[in-house]
Amino acid sequence: LESSANAIQCDLTEMTKDKPKAIFDEAQQKNNKPVNKIVIGVRPSLLTPTFRDSTPMKMLQGIEMILAHACREENIDFVLHISSVAAADHLRNQVFISEKVADPPLPEYTAPYDVFKRASEEVISKVCQQNSVRYTHLRISGIFSDNDKCLQCNVFRLQALLTPFVPTPIDHNSSLNVSRAIRSLLNVNHSSEMLQRSEE
């Protein structure tokens, strides 16, 4: 990404009304200019024990607080949300599914992780639409790289050992291709047509 891009980490479960401003102040100090585009990437635990775990709900509330501040106070003009194929219920057997096909009904989802990803998209869409800010949800699957510590690569190796017992293939993306997609989305001229496509 551009050298002017900064990564800011924060604990969404402890978000308060004054923290979003502090986060953007930090980003502007690092970049020495206002922030006009943001990339949101939130990954909850893949092994959330039950739907009763309150952590995902606190994270969603944190996302909404940060984004509401960004849209209303920071003059943000584009939001890129790094989502996941899990938002469409990745445990469901789906073949030849396109973006024009409606997502399954949320009550039918069986994995808390998938519910969180879908709910994240809905929260971000709602806040952006309320403030007329353009946005895109980039749904990706597992990301692999040439790093020995790559989580997805280790999962891939495990699947190779279990293939006779778990024949379902795992969809993956290279980290290079994902980076190119993110850069392209940030650099594209975001017209009103893109806003309309994002809302569909």
Side-chain angles (χ1 to χ4, degrees):
L1 298 177
E2 299 178 2
S3 59
S4 60
N6 293 309
I8 304 294
Q9 292 183 334
C10 62
D11 186 348
L12 292 171
T13 63
E14 297 183 357
M15 192 58 55
T16 58
K17 291 184 177 180
D18 59 323
K19 286 187 177 181
K21 183 179 185 305
I23 291 172
F24 279 89
D25 287 347
E26 179 184 350
Q28 291 180 14
Q29 288 176 2
K30 287 184 177 181
N31 202 20
N32 200 28
K33 63 180 181 181
V35 176
N36 61 355
K37 295 179 177 65
I38 58 175
V39 180
I40 299 177
V42 182
R43 179 180 175 181
S45 172
L46 288 170
L47 302 176
T48 301
T50 68
F51 285 100
R52 296 180 180 178
D53 185 358
S54 63
T55 301
M57 181 56 67
K58 292 179 180 178
M59 295 172 74
L60 289 172
Q61 293 170 347
I63 292 173
E64 185 167 6
M65 292 178 67
I66 290 178
L67 194 54
H69 172 85
C71 292
R72 298 166 187 167
E73 306 295 336
E74 304 293 339
N75 295 318
I76 293 296
D77 59 27
F78 179 63
V79 174
L80 174 57
H81 174 218
I82 308 302
S83 188
S84 166
V85 293
D89 189 358
H90 78 295
L91 298 182
R92 181 186 298 261
N93 186 16
Q94 302 181 72
V95 181
F96 298 120
I97 298 297
S98 73
E99 293 181 355
K100 295 181 180 180
V101 177
D103 291 330
L106 196 54
E108 295 181 6
Y109 284 44
T110 57
Y113 179 86
D114 295 15
V115 171
F116 177 86
K117 285 298 183 180
R118 171 77 174 275
S120 296
E121 290 191 0
E122 293 180 353
V123 166
I124 291 170
S125 296
K126 180 189 72 173
V127 176
C128 288
Q129 290 171 16
Q130 289 175 344
N131 294 277
S132 300
V133 173
R134 299 177 178 90
Y135 63 95
T136 294
H137 301 295
L138 178 61
R139 290 182 176 178
I140 56 178
S141 54
I143 302 175
F144 68 88
S145 69
D146 57 0
N147 190 315
D148 292 338
K149 296 181 180 179
C150 173
L151 174 63
Q152 302 297 343
C153 291
N154 291 327
V155 170
F156 229 6
R157 294 189 189 99
L158 178 61
Q159 189 201 21
L161 296 175
L162 298 176
T163 295
F165 310 101
V166 187
T168 303
I170 299 177
D171 186 20
H172 282 69
N173 302 285
S174 75
S175 56
L176 178 60
N177 286 339
V178 172
S179 297
R180 286 172 174 167
I182 293 173
R183 184 165 189 164
S184 296
L185 286 166
L186 291 176
N187 290 336
V188 74
N189 180 23
H190 300 289
S191 64
S192 58
E193 181 181 356
M194 173 167 282
L195 175 60
Q196 182 178 359
R197 289 203 304 271
S198 298
E199 293 176 348
E200 292 178 348

